[in-house]
């Protein structure tokens, strides 16, 4: 487990290796960093459709972030993608309206994001960290209505049972700097013309499609 899956300990002693206070020193940076006090995931919904003939699925993960802290916070997370999946859409909601993101090289996209953060406007940045992992960061999360983003993924199905079935693996959070309360439900809705079944126990992160 990564260190930021847990809240900051209350009994830290002083020293050169620990930072104190509520300042987010990793804001607009390239690492997820530690938990930001007051910042939380308010809602999470993953929905999409499966095309068994094309062995592909399209998923959209909508997340909303809220804070109880004063000032402006940045939500950051690393998302593990299913094997072979790609990010095909990125959307930021501003005043209830969807604003589509532009695709650019990592360097140009990060420079633009940092510039917008400095001017205290509403940016969203998604960068590829490794082949099957992305980093997501959005700013600013303030008291009031949650900040809402949407990520679209094109995901290939994984053959199973000698081709008699195919599995759809789902993206998951690997690291995060925000709290997820126990009563927050990750809503998942997947449609298909063929029968679907969960792959393993509830919460295992997969859906299986069979031709019959």
């Amino acid at each position: 487990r990564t260190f930021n899956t847990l809240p900051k300990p209350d009994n830290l002693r002083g020293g050169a290796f620990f930072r104190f206070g509520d300042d987010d020193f990793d804001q607009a940076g390239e690492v997820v960093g530690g938990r930001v006090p007051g910042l939380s995931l308010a809602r999470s919904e993953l929905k999409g459709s499966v095309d068994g003939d094309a062995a592909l699925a399209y998923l959209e993960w909508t997340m909303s972030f809220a804070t109880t802290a004063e000032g402006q916070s940045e939500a950051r997370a690393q998302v593990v993608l299913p094997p072979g999946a790609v990010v095909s859409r990125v959307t930021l909601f501003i005043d209830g309206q969807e604003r589509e993101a532009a695709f650019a090289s990592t360097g140009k996209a990060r420079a633009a994001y940092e510039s917008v953060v400095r001017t205290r406007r509403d940016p969203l940045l998604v960068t590829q960290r490794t082949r099957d992992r992305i980093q997501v960061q959005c700013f600013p999360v303030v008291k009031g209505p949650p900040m809402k983003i949407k990520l679209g993924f094109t995901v290939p199905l994984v053959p199973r049972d000698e081709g008699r079935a195919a599995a759809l693996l789902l993206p998951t959070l690997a690291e995060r700097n925000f709290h997820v309360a126990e009563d927050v439900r990750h809503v998942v809705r997947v449609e298909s013309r063929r029968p679907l079944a969960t792959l393993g126990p509830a919460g295992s992160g997969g859906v299986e499609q069979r031709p019959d």
Side-chain angles (χ1 to χ4, degrees), residues 96-114:
Q97 302 295 319
E98 293 190 51
R99 304 292 180 90
E100 299 288 340
F103 287 79
S105 65
T106 299
K108 289 183 178 180
R110 176 163 294 282
Y113 179 84
E114 293 173 357

Side-chain angles (χ1 to χ4, degrees), residues 67-135:
T67 185
T68 59
E70 300 295 336
Q72 299 175 319
S73 300
E74 180 188 52
R76 297 185 297 273
Q78 285 197 10
V79 178
V80 177
L81 304 180
V86 295
V87 178
S88 47
R89 186 184 184 191
V90 176
T91 300
L92 174 65
F93 290 78
I94 301 178
D95 296 329
Q97 302 295 319
E98 293 190 51
R99 304 292 180 90
E100 299 288 340
F103 287 79
S105 65
T106 299
K108 289 183 178 180
R110 176 163 294 282
Y113 179 84
E114 293 173 357
S115 174
V116 175
V117 168
R118 285 194 294 269
T119 58
R120 302 299 181 183
R121 292 165 57 197
D122 296 285
L124 166 64
L125 176 66
V126 178
T127 51
Q128 193 86 26
R129 299 308 302 268
T130 63
R131 181 176 180 181
D132 293 322
R133 182 175 293 213
I134 60 172
Q135 180 159 315

